[in-house]
Amino acid sequence: GINAEYMGIQKMKKKGTIGLMGKSDPVIQTAKDWIVCYVKGDMTNKDVHLLSDTVKVHRFPDIFFGNNQISFANPKRDFVFNVFPVEAVQLCNFSVRERQLLQEPAATTPLEEEAKRILELNKKLEATKEVFNPTNLIPPAILAKESDVWKDKDYEGIKDFQKIEIYSDWTFSTPYKGTSSYLSKKPIKNLPPLAIPPEKSSIIVIPTTDAIPFHKLGTDNPVLFFEEIPLFEDDLDDLGLAQSFARFRVMNDSFYILIRNYLRLDEMLVRIMDTRIYHAFGTDYLLREFQYKESKYTELEKAGFKPTSEWVLNAAQSDAVFPSLGLKLKVLDKIIFQTL
């Protein structure tokens, strides 16, 4: 299953198939009815202040790849699936999370009722341009180890002391799952306008029991092209690592995307929020799987994983720890795009 996915990635890395294109040039490729556009550029620093009016966070990550992107577009279906660093960081804002949260249904809710509920939220979000992208989770808040030192202090005698309003997540834990939308409403950045058929299209999101066929992602299914795109990274003032990136691969019969948000707080916990997207060419839907995994350091050690200094320095540390983390939430849904 997912282990085969990571083994395939490591093989491609060893072969040197990652990052063959120029650092900041848009790369455009086609696969069946799909146009794939991606940018893997340098980190953005000088223009970050221009985003502060639209992205309400206390600060941007130290390393922010704001110009990077992944776009999978199907003009015939008037559909596009995007991955943008700015949108990932935007979901660190508490109010944005609340607005886009899809409340978890009761365990007994029939799939038909749940599908209607999601459809109603889709309509609501479409009015605010946050279409078809409800989040499944508000990540639990985390206090830094040093917080106990400060929480009981008396600040009343401090001149000009101001209490700061906390409105975004200092750990950059983002439940971002990518963005699905109509291509006609959200043209692909870095591409000229695409010809879209006049037939009206419909996009809906429904819950499903259909799982991603990981057995089709093995080495027996040759990869046509592949890339790993960084979104952001931050050392959390030397308290650990917050990191987000996306990977994709295109095969002859399908494509597959992984969006990962990774958090390591040293001597405290490790958290991963993964979104996996799978599409079999010729079908009218994407399969999507969202996973939230988290374990304290003590729990990792009980599971047989040793958080060593070598692991902390490993560029693929999230892949290494993933199998040992405790699963907290798993959600399967299907993004359907149909011409009417």
Side-chain angles (χ1 to χ4, degrees), residues 290-303:
F290 175 80
Q291 280 195 48
Y292 160 45
K293 302 186 80 174
E294 181 174 311
S295 291
K296 297 176 182 176
Y297 267 46
T298 52
E299 294 169 332
L300 283 174
E301 290 170 352
K302 286 180 182 177

Side-chain angles (χ1 to χ4, degrees), residues 117-178:
R117 196 169 66 86
I118 294 176
L119 186 59
E120 287 303 312
L121 182 60
N122 286 341
K123 291 177 180 176
K124 178 182 174 184
L125 294 178
E126 186 171 10
T128 59
K129 298 184 179 180
E130 291 161 348
V131 292
F132 323 116
N133 302 294
T135 57
N136 299 107
L137 171 76
I138 292 180
I142 304 171
L143 296 176
K145 284 189 303 181
E146 291 79 3
S147 62
D148 287 341
V149 177
W150 300 99
K151 70 178 182 179
D152 296 325
K153 283 192 176 292
D154 182 9
Y155 298 104
E156 289 186 6
I158 300 178
K159 186 179 179 181
D160 298 327
F161 175 76
Q162 279 187 316
K163 191 172 183 180
I164 298 174
E165 180 191 0
I166 305 299
Y167 54 85
S168 67
D169 190 330
W170 73 278
T171 68
F172 298 105
S173 292
T174 171
Y176 180 60
K177 302 192 297 181

Side-chain angles (χ1 to χ4, degrees), residues 80-93:
V80 62
F81 182 85
N82 291 312
V83 180
F84 292 125
V86 170
E87 294 179 347
V89 172
Q90 200 163 25
L91 273 170
C92 295
N93 178 280

Side-chain angles (χ1 to χ4, degrees), residues 78-108:
D78 192 13
F79 176 82
V80 62
F81 182 85
N82 291 312
V83 180
F84 292 125
V86 170
E87 294 179 347
V89 172
Q90 200 163 25
L91 273 170
C92 295
N93 178 280
F94 297 145
S95 62
V96 174
R97 286 180 184 172
E98 290 282 353
R99 189 167 64 243
Q100 291 190 229
L101 178 65
L102 177 66
Q103 297 295 335
E104 192 172 354
T108 55

Side-chain angles (χ1 to χ4, degrees), residues 173-328:
S173 292
T174 171
Y176 180 60
K177 302 192 297 181
T179 307
S180 302
S181 62
Y182 292 107
L183 182 58
S184 56
K185 293 183 179 180
K186 195 164 187 175
I188 299 179
K189 185 181 175 184
N190 293 306
L191 271 188
L194 299 172
I196 298 170
E199 295 88 356
K200 190 174 181 182
S201 298
S202 171
I203 303 174
I204 60 172
V205 180
I206 62 170
T208 185
T209 56
D210 296 343
I212 291 175
F214 287 104
H215 64 279
K216 294 184 178 181
L217 301 177
T219 54
D220 56 339
N221 193 359
V223 174
L224 302 179
F225 55 98
F226 165 92
E227 191 55 90
E228 180 172 317
I229 308 292
L231 305 182
F232 64 77
E233 189 171 311
D234 194 281
D235 68 2
L236 305 173
D237 294 324
D238 294 327
L239 294 176
L241 175 66
Q243 182 186 64
S244 193
F245 59 83
R247 298 169 178 156
F248 71 85
R249 66 174 77 174
V250 176
M251 288 75 69
N252 281 309
D253 60 354
S254 57
F255 66 74
Y256 173 78
I257 304 169
L258 167 69
I259 306 169
R260 170 163 293 174
N261 178 256
Y262 172 66
L263 171 67
R264 188 197 79 238
L265 284 176
D266 292 334
E267 300 178 20
M268 289 184 64
L269 60 80
V270 177
R271 169 186 290 171
I272 287 179
M273 287 180 285
D274 276 353
T275 298
R276 292 175 170 80
I277 299 285
Y278 175 84
H279 172 70
F281 294 135
T283 64
D284 61 357
Y285 60 86
L286 307 180
L287 290 176
R288 179 168 59 186
E289 174 191 288
F290 175 80
Q291 280 195 48
Y292 160 45
K293 302 186 80 174
E294 181 174 311
S295 291
K296 297 176 182 176
Y297 267 46
T298 52
E299 294 169 332
L300 283 174
E301 290 170 352
K302 286 180 182 177
F305 184 87
K306 302 296 183 185
T308 62
S309 56
E310 289 79 12
W311 165 66
V312 166
L313 296 173
N314 185 352
Q317 61 185 270
S318 66
D319 292 342
V321 73
F322 180 88
S324 301
L325 291 172
L327 180 63
K328 306 296 184 183

